[in-house]
């Protein structure tokens, strides 16, 4: 017998509560320091219920990461659908991408902090690639946009494409994200608590843009 709509809504609400609670605890205390019992207690569910949803903490951590990234990126996709960007020059897309990471630093420090913690945590766990499938799927729109942006640059030559695509993304887009992550976590030289370092990130953005524009016609 199938579940009623009311039952499914109840389960969905419970699962979202688990995700939100685990996210908050993992950000506050780091994933390593949080037990499944603590998540269950804070989320107001039984231990057995939590383990029916997630077999272990690693599975829960992956689900949290996938859910939070998907929610964030879905909002970006809604505001700027892929179908709307075809006529935008590559450099315009590139600037938007860099600005989006600065926006994350300003408004979503917790997601940047969690992502950094998650990356550190997951590298010390035995995880099969198939277990990360949902997480990788949550980033699909980002990967698609970055590839489309680089392909557009090959056509309009608004930023350099003499560097292989993966390397270009590492030294520009991913450097920007790494910097925003470190600033969000306070892991920078001379950091002061609660100080807004947007100015530093805007300066880095300009440095990256200068690099990307250099010899753009190659």
């Amino acid at each position: 017998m199938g579940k009623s709509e009311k039952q499914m809504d109840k389960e969905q609400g419970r699962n979202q509560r688990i995700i939100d609670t685990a996210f908050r605890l993992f950000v506050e205390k780091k994933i390593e320091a949080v037990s499944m019992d603590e998540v269950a207690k804070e989320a107001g569910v039984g231990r057995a219920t939590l383990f029916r949803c997630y077999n272990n903490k690693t599975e829960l951590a992956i689900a949290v990461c996938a859910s939070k990234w998907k929610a964030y990126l879905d909002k970006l996709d809604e505001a700027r659908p892929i179908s709307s960007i075809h006529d935008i020059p590559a450099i315009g897309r590139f600037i938007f991408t860099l600005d989006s990471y600065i926006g994350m630093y300003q408004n979503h420090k917790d997601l940047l902090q969690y992502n950094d913690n998650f990356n550190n945590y997951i590298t010390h766990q035995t995880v099969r690639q198939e277990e990360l499938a949902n997480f990788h799927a949550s980033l699909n729109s980002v990967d698609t946009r970055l590839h489309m942006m680089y392909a557009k640059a090959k056509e309009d030559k608004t930023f350099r494409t003499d560097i292989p695509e993966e390397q270009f993304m590492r030294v520009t887009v991913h450097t920007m994200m790494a910097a925003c992550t470190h600033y969000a976590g306070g892991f920078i030289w001379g950091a002061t608590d609660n100080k807004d370092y947007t100015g530093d990130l805007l300066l880095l953005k300009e440095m990256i843009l200068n690099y990307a524009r250099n010899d753009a016609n190659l």
Side-chain angles (χ1 to χ4, degrees):
M1 184 176 180
K3 296 179 181 178
S4 67
E5 185 175 339
K6 184 176 180 180
Q7 285 176 310
M8 289 189 291
D9 287 344
K10 183 179 179 180
E11 289 183 4
Q12 185 176 358
R14 179 201 63 200
N15 290 341
Q16 190 60 54
R17 192 166 69 251
I18 291 171
I19 291 290
D20 291 342
T21 300
F23 178 69
R24 174 176 58 81
L25 291 173
F26 290 160
V27 170
E28 290 175 358
K29 301 183 178 183
K30 306 297 184 187
I31 299 171
E32 295 85 349
V34 178
S35 68
M36 292 289 275
D37 285 347
E38 186 175 4
V39 173
K41 181 178 179 181
E42 289 287 324
V45 300
R47 186 175 186 273
T49 297
L50 178 60
F51 276 99
R52 277 199 300 272
C53 297
Y54 304 99
N55 292 322
N56 51 59
K57 188 167 66 173
T58 298
E59 186 176 309
L60 174 58
I62 294 171
V64 169
C65 205
S67 175
K68 292 301 180 179
W69 270 114
K70 184 177 185 305
Y72 171 77
L73 293 171
D74 280 352
K75 287 185 178 180
L76 281 187
D77 290 343
E78 183 178 342
R80 191 182 174 98
I82 287 181
S83 60
S84 72
I85 68 172
H86 295 292
D87 295 329
I88 299 175
I91 193 66
R93 304 183 197 184
F94 187 59
I95 291 170
F96 175 82
T97 301
L98 298 180
D99 284 340
S100 70
Y101 287 122
I102 296 175
M104 287 189 71
Y105 165 76
Q106 294 171 324
N107 303 304
H108 299 280
K109 286 186 177 70
D110 53 356
L111 180 54
L112 288 171
Q113 291 166 350
Y114 179 75
N115 191 67
D116 188 47
N117 183 22
F118 174 78
N119 288 336
N120 290 329
Y121 174 79
I122 212 70
T123 57
H124 294 93
Q125 307 301 310
T126 302
V127 181
R128 301 187 308 276
Q129 280 304 306
E130 54 265 31
E131 294 180 87
L132 294 168
N134 287 339
F135 168 62
H136 292 312
S138 71
L139 303 178
N140 183 63
S141 70
V142 174
D143 295 337
T144 299
R145 285 172 184 269
L146 293 180
H147 177 69
M148 290 173 61
M149 178 183 77
Y150 189 86
K152 182 71 171 179
K154 286 196 168 212
E155 296 175 5
D156 66 19
K157 303 189 184 306
T158 52
F159 68 72
R160 62 190 300 176
T161 54
D162 57 309
I163 303 166
E165 182 174 349
E166 288 189 5
Q167 184 179 16
F168 178 85
M169 296 306 172
R170 280 198 303 272
V171 300
T172 59
V173 173
H174 293 294
T175 292
M176 190 78 225
M177 182 179 179
C180 290
T181 298
H182 288 154
Y183 274 79
F187 304 126
I188 55 172
W189 181 79
T192 302
D193 287 345
N194 301 318
K195 182 177 178 179
D196 183 3
Y197 286 96
T198 298
D200 285 16
L201 296 172
L202 288 171
L203 178 59
L204 177 61
K205 168 191 164 183
E206 288 306 311
M207 294 169 68
I208 291 173
L209 282 173
N210 287 337
Y211 168 80
R213 287 183 173 127
N214 186 37
D215 296 325
N217 291 321
L218 287 176

